[in-house]
Amino acid sequence: MIKIEEISPPSYYSHYNKITYFNLNEKRTLWKTFTKCFYCQKNNRISNPSLFKQNAHAVSSYFNSNLYNYDECDECNKLFANKLETKFSLFFDPIKSFLFQNHKFKQQENFYYNKNGDVIIHPNFIKSIDQKNRIAHITIKRPAISILDIYCCLLKMGLSVFNRIQRKEVSKSLNLIALDFNYQNKLRHLNHFFLYGIYNENSTEDSIAIYKNTSKLNLPKYFIFIKHHRFYFQLFIPFINDDATFNILPPMTRIIGSETNFNSANFVSNFIEKGEINLALKATDKEKFENYIIKNNFKK
């Protein structure tokens, strides 16, 4: 088990220096001098150019990211997108995820969008319709979510901006995000965690940074800090010095009201149980809405 303490942020984080920082809104492709896939080390852009056709996001597009990896092959990109990012989207913003997923099917007959992005969804998800106000009330079934998957997705983002020259230092972490069963079990045994909460209610920043311990104290060597508007995620890079003292308090806390603290530690051994999400979607195009009502026999 890793050592976890609550140490005041100034005294703990004063031992860290920022070594990497990127504004996610600025379009940029990283690691153009590296041709071998950083993650699997199997595919090479020079000898296998057909395996590097996709623009691989270094950081999830859910964070408005325009940061891309040159050295991420299509196989790894697909693995991370299908196995990690889809689950992360359900954790971070299940409603947005639901709508984004349905974008893939917009050509099918029961899905279409108004030009401003509003959606009329598959009738199976509709609980009731307010025809007068053109509002569809939706019920979504949310599956169970493993916190380990969320941690791995965030870790992948951090490793995407990690110095390629130092790959050996994070080789075990790379095995973890490749869904190696043994490393998953090791991390659950260590009971690693990430912090998630409100950083600044007024922030519009989208960024990722890596901090390094510059002292001789036995602290985790690196931690990753991701900001998306008012939200933050902080996690330590695992398997480097897990005998260190890990702080459960983030660099900055934000308390809303007198009792509500939005900072929370999410341990990789935990799960979020499946549940139900209810929402309402309003159609802005009257004609499309009426056609949809008639086509699916909702009209009284």
Side-chain angles (χ1 to χ4, degrees):
M1 299 290 286
I2 63 175
K3 303 173 188 175
I4 300 172
E5 294 185 17
E6 292 191 7
I7 305 169
S8 67
S11 62
Y12 188 88
Y13 290 98
S14 63
H15 302 292
Y16 285 87
N17 282 348
K18 186 191 299 181
I19 60 170
T20 301
Y21 175 87
F22 291 100
N23 180 339
L24 302 181
N25 302 142
E26 295 178 3
K27 191 170 183 178
R28 187 168 179 176
T29 301
L30 307 177
W31 317 114
K32 289 186 177 180
T33 60
F34 294 83
T35 59
K36 182 183 286 188
C37 179
F38 175 67
Y39 303 94
C40 68
Q41 292 283 281
K42 180 176 66 174
N43 299 320
N44 192 301
R45 186 181 280 271
I46 301 301
S47 55
N48 307 107
S50 63
L51 299 180
F52 289 81
K53 291 183 176 180
Q54 300 174 2
N55 288 325
H57 275 94
V59 174
S60 174
S61 58
Y62 276 88
F63 292 147
N64 299 332
S65 173
N66 285 307
L67 205 61
Y68 298 90
N69 278 332
Y70 185 79
D71 62 344
E72 181 176 337
C73 72
D74 295 346
E75 291 179 8
C76 288
N77 184 34
K78 183 178 179 180
L79 171 70
F80 298 140
N82 292 343
K83 300 295 185 180
L84 298 178
E85 284 203 24
T86 53
K87 296 174 182 177
F88 173 78
S89 66
L90 287 168
F91 169 85
F92 180 60
D93 193 341
I95 295 173
K96 185 177 179 181
S97 170
F98 182 68
L99 298 182
F100 273 21
Q101 287 297 313
N102 285 318
H103 268 291
K104 296 179 181 179
F105 308 107
K106 64 182 177 181
Q107 299 303 318
Q108 294 184 12
E109 60 177 340
N110 282 324
F111 296 85
Y112 61 81
Y113 285 73
N114 299 332
K115 62 182 180 181
N116 67 351
D118 288 352
V119 57
I120 296 176
I121 207 68
H122 194 287
N124 289 349
F125 294 105
I126 295 178
K127 194 172 184 179
S128 64
I129 287 186
D130 178 349
Q131 294 184 28
K132 180 180 178 180
N133 296 303
R134 300 197 301 275
I135 296 175
H137 296 276
I138 311 297
T139 299
I140 311 167
K141 300 291 184 181
R142 186 192 65 208
I145 301 172
S146 168
I147 295 300
L148 177 61
D149 290 334
I150 310 307
Y151 176 90
C152 287
C153 186
L154 293 167
L155 180 61
K156 188 272 173 184
M157 299 180 207
L159 296 179
S160 288
V161 301
F162 192 83
N163 191 334
R164 283 4 192 186
I165 301 298
Q166 298 171 252
R167 185 185 189 279
K168 186 176 181 181
E169 195 168 20
V170 294
S171 60
K172 293 179 180 179
S173 294
L174 290 168
N175 288 333
L176 173 71
I177 64 172
L179 308 182
D180 183 293
F181 180 76
N182 290 327
Y183 282 99
Q184 286 184 327
N185 275 345
K186 286 181 181 178
L187 201 71
R188 284 197 176 100
H189 176 72
L190 290 171
N191 210 20
H192 237 286
F193 63 96
F194 69 88
L195 299 172
Y196 168 47
I198 301 295
Y199 183 84
N200 184 331
E201 277 288 354
N202 300 314
S203 175
T204 58
E205 181 180 356
D206 296 303
S207 65
I208 186 167
I210 297 179
Y211 293 77
K212 182 179 180 181
N213 174 24
T214 56
S215 74
K216 294 182 179 180
L217 298 177
N218 190 22
L219 306 176
K221 189 167 184 179
Y222 302 102
F223 77 85
I224 300 159
F225 199 69
I226 305 171
K227 282 189 273 188
H228 172 54
H229 289 23
R230 68 184 186 277
F231 300 105
Y232 75 81
F233 295 85
Q234 183 215 294
L235 62 155
F236 297 101
I237 298 181
F239 305 129
I240 296 178
N241 56 332
D242 289 317
D243 62 336
T245 300
F246 291 71
N247 194 13
I248 205 167
L249 297 177
M252 182 181 292
T253 59
R254 176 75 177 179
I255 300 175
I256 310 299
S258 59
E259 297 179 356
T260 307
N261 190 338
F262 280 80
N263 301 308
S264 58
N266 297 264
F267 289 88
V268 298
S269 54
N270 293 341
F271 287 82
I272 299 174
E273 295 183 359
K274 63 181 180 181
E276 190 174 273
I277 300 169
N278 296 293
L279 65 148
L281 297 176
K282 182 177 177 64
T284 57
D285 188 308
K286 183 177 180 180
E287 183 179 354
K288 285 185 177 181
F289 181 80
E290 289 296 329
N291 290 339
Y292 178 82
I293 292 296
I294 294 170
K295 184 176 181 178
N296 292 286
N297 297 317
F298 285 118
K299 201 167 184 70
K300 293 179 181 179

